[in-house]
């Protein structure tokens, strides 16, 4: 039996009007130090976004989420944050911020298959 790995995750949220603190979930970011794992999975449901807030610039939102993905992959085009060690990138991505894209508090879990766990979290918390 494979040993379970400790991981951490946060839900990626879109907060159209920060002052109202209303949000909806669009993705998940997951980190496991022991496996050197840092990935994000997201989906923008344009109908849901438009129903929630008509003023959102979908292209801008897509770019912001792409940067999350690029930072996870240590893609240098994402800037200096992408050059941080894995843990530093996760902590930066999940830091409290007052922007249209925010994350939930970080939660721990155990997994014997990180990819499958990420998929399950995404399905449960986003779709």
């Amino acid at each position: 039996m494979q040993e379970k790995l400790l991981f951490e995750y946060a839900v990626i949220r879109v907060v159209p009007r920060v002052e109202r603190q209303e949000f909806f979930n669009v993705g998940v970011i997951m980190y496991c130090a022991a496996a050197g794992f840092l990935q994000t999975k997201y989906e923008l449901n344009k109908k849901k976004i438009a129903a929630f807030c008509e003023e959102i610039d979908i292209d801008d939102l897509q770019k912001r989420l792409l940067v999350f993905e690029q930072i996870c992959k240590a893609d240098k085009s994402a800037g200096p944050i992408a050059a941080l060690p894995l843990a530093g990138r996760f902590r930066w991505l999940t830091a409290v911020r007052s922007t249209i894209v925010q994350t939930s508090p970080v939660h721990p879990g155990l997994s014997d298959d990180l990819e499958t766990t990420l998929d399950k979290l995404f399905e449960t918390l986003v779709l």
Side-chain angles (χ1 to χ4, degrees):
M1 185 168 150
Q2 185 178 351
E3 182 179 330
K4 291 192 180 258
L5 296 168
L6 176 65
F7 69 89
E8 298 174 76
Y9 75 94
V11 179
I12 302 170
R13 301 169 169 170
V14 170
V15 186
R17 294 186 190 100
V18 177
E19 68 280 3
R20 290 181 58 123
Q21 298 182 5
E22 297 172 337
F23 63 86
F24 59 93
N25 300 339
V26 295
V28 177
I29 181 169
M30 192 169 134
Y31 163 66
C32 176
F37 182 93
L38 179 61
Q39 288 188 24
T40 186
K41 188 170 186 170
Y42 62 89
E43 179 178 289
L44 290 178
N45 181 324
K46 293 178 183 179
K47 286 184 179 181
K48 185 176 180 179
I49 292 169
F52 196 72
C53 182
E54 294 175 349
E55 299 88 35
I56 289 182
D57 180 340
I58 297 292
D59 292 334
D60 180 61
L61 187 55
Q62 187 83 30
K63 288 175 188 172
R64 291 172 186 253
L65 292 169
L66 180 60
V67 170
F68 265 66
E69 188 175 335
Q70 291 171 321
I71 290 171
C72 285
K73 293 178 180 178
D75 182 335
K76 293 178 182 176
S77 68
I81 302 303
L84 292 174
L86 207 62
R89 285 183 274 145
F90 178 71
R91 299 288 172 239
W92 189 88
L93 288 168
T94 58
V96 175
R97 54 182 46 95
S98 296
T99 65
I100 192 169
V101 177
Q102 300 180 15
T103 60
S104 71
V106 173
H107 305 282
L110 294 171
S111 174
D112 53 8
D113 183 338
L114 296 170
E115 295 278 348
T116 299
T117 300
L118 177 61
D119 289 342
K120 286 180 182 176
L121 286 169
F122 181 74
E123 184 178 313
T124 302
L125 300 170
V126 177
L127 297 182

